[in-house]
Amino acid sequence: MKKYIDFASNNGFNALLVEGWNIGWEDWVGNQKDNVFDFVTPYPDFDVQEIIVMQPVKGIKMIMHHETSGSIRNYERRIDNAYQFMLDNGYNAVKSGYVGNIVPRGEHSFWTVGRKPFLVCRDKSSRL
């Protein structure tokens, strides 16, 4: 991570988003799994404590990435812990991804469209 933070800092970026930081990326694409990511468990090579220390020194803010793998219900089940993890570790912005068929529906239905206001309100109440 250090080399990416250094690159961002040395090239005038003020923020950095990293995908694939959390456990679960091995086999989720196209498998429509409902319980892939927990949004709080990093891979061993993603040192959250080191990143906390480096952010102010390098003038970089980290942007959290939450890939839902299309499982909106899993994200909603875990969102409170995920946002608390962010706050505890100096993240104040999140990019959520919805790659894959939406679980449980398999398409972008009225059910999935109705979830967006829930997430926006959740972001505001979590101070993100």
Side-chain angles (χ1 to χ4, degrees):
M1 273 310 308
K2 183 179 181 324
K3 72 179 181 179
Y4 298 111
I5 293 172
D6 285 343
F7 176 86
S9 178
N10 293 338
N11 289 281
F13 293 92
N14 63 4
L16 180 64
L17 180 139
V18 177
E19 288 195 29
W21 67 273
N22 55 319
I23 300 289
W25 286 79
E26 292 76 17
D27 69 344
W28 64 273
V29 175
N31 292 325
Q32 290 189 284
K33 292 185 175 181
D34 191 28
N35 193 18
V36 177
F37 302 110
D38 70 5
F39 311 101
V40 298
T41 306
Y43 282 107
D45 64 345
F46 192 84
D47 188 338
V48 175
Q49 295 307 309
E50 178 183 44
I51 292 167
I52 289 171
V53 171
M54 289 182 71
Q55 285 186 79
V57 172
K58 298 292 184 170
I60 296 292
K61 293 295 289 178
M62 296 298 290
I63 301 169
M64 178 57 68
H65 180 254
H66 289 161
E67 176 53 60
T68 67
S69 66
S71 182
I72 296 170
R73 348 179 247 215
N74 181 54
Y75 191 40
E76 290 182 2
R77 276 193 300 265
R78 297 173 181 273
I79 200 165
D80 290 332
N81 287 339
Y83 282 4
Q84 190 60 55
F85 177 85
M86 289 175 57
L87 293 171
D88 291 347
N89 292 288
Y91 289 84
N92 64 3
V94 62
K95 184 256 182 205
S96 56
Y98 299 89
V99 173
N101 289 328
I102 302 298
V103 176
R105 298 277 209 219
E107 80 282 338
H108 297 278
S109 64
F110 286 113
W111 181 84
T112 59
V113 171
R115 306 323 299 156
K116 292 291 185 179
F118 168 82
L119 295 174
V120 169
C121 291
R122 202 53 141 191
D123 289 349
K124 287 180 137 186
S125 70
S126 297
R127 302 168 304 187
L128 296 176

